[in-house]
Amino acid sequence: MRSRLAAPSVRLALAAVAAMAVTATATATATADSRSSAVRACVTKDLTYKVSSKTQAGGYYLVTAKAKAGVTCHLEGVFPSASFGSSPDTEVAPAEHAVSERVTLSGSTAAYAGINPKTTNNDHGREFDFLHLAVAGDETNAVTLTLPETATVDRPIATNWHADPADAVPFSD
């Protein structure tokens, strides 16, 4: 009779030891994961933005994005979500047909996107003084940026985010 009682107790003790081992392994794994180099994706409020006017390729706006103090995040190599007004025809379309490399932002590291407000060769377009910009996927938190000068907008395009400003020149067809 005694051996029957001892067997469940031994099984319970072994189960408790196994559970503690699993918990210790899970804790060690979680601690190692929290120290890993995985960097989260940027959202619009993680960044500061600057817009400057450039003359190359017929003229465009260079948007420079930097992480705020204490933030480390990455921007996917896709074009920013941007528009000059609330009308669908002022939303930027992609200037590139492929995804670029991811850009990790921290400290003084910057990402660059080029926005050409007018890709047509005519006298049409509407004028705007502001650009609404968001990280793709975070459009509800868009920021409004003042342009260096009034822009005539007709079929605008934008490059993907790049680590080098020379890669952010939006050439139109």
Side-chain angles (χ1 to χ4, degrees):
M1 185 82 137
R2 186 171 180 162
S3 63
R4 283 187 186 169
L5 293 177
S9 300
V10 171
R11 278 189 250 141
L12 282 173
L14 286 174
V17 170
M20 288 185 345
V22 167
T23 302
T25 302
T27 301
T29 302
T31 302
D33 287 346
S34 69
R35 292 184 301 223
S36 72
S37 61
V39 175
R40 67 178 176 80
C42 296
V43 292
T44 304
K45 69 179 182 176
D46 289 334
L47 309 172
T48 60
Y49 305 92
K50 176 185 167 191
V51 180
S52 54
S53 183
K54 300 295 180 183
T55 58
Q56 185 179 3
Y60 70 99
Y61 294 109
L62 181 66
V63 178
T64 304
K66 291 185 178 181
K68 290 182 178 175
V71 173
T72 299
C73 60
H74 71 266
L75 281 172
E76 292 298 330
V78 296
F79 70 104
S81 181
S83 70
F84 290 89
S86 59
S87 175
D89 66 342
T90 66
E91 293 177 9
V92 300
E96 299 175 76
H97 298 289
V99 174
S100 304
E101 289 189 30
R102 172 184 291 184
V103 181
T104 300
L105 302 175
S106 182
S108 64
T109 305
Y112 306 92
I115 298 178
N116 183 342
K118 183 169 174 42
T119 60
T120 58
N121 190 17
N122 59 36
D123 294 331
H124 303 292
R126 298 184 348 205
E127 293 190 345
F128 293 92
D129 294 318
F130 299 97
L131 174 69
H132 306 292
L133 183 98
V135 171
D138 190 30
E139 287 79 5
T140 58
N141 295 307
V143 296
T144 300
L145 306 170
T146 302
L147 297 172
E149 72 270 334
T150 300
T152 301
V153 177
D154 191 15
R155 297 187 186 166
I157 61 171
T159 67
N160 296 343
W161 290 108
H162 293 280
D164 184 348
D167 294 332
V169 179
F171 294 101
S172 57
D173 295 334

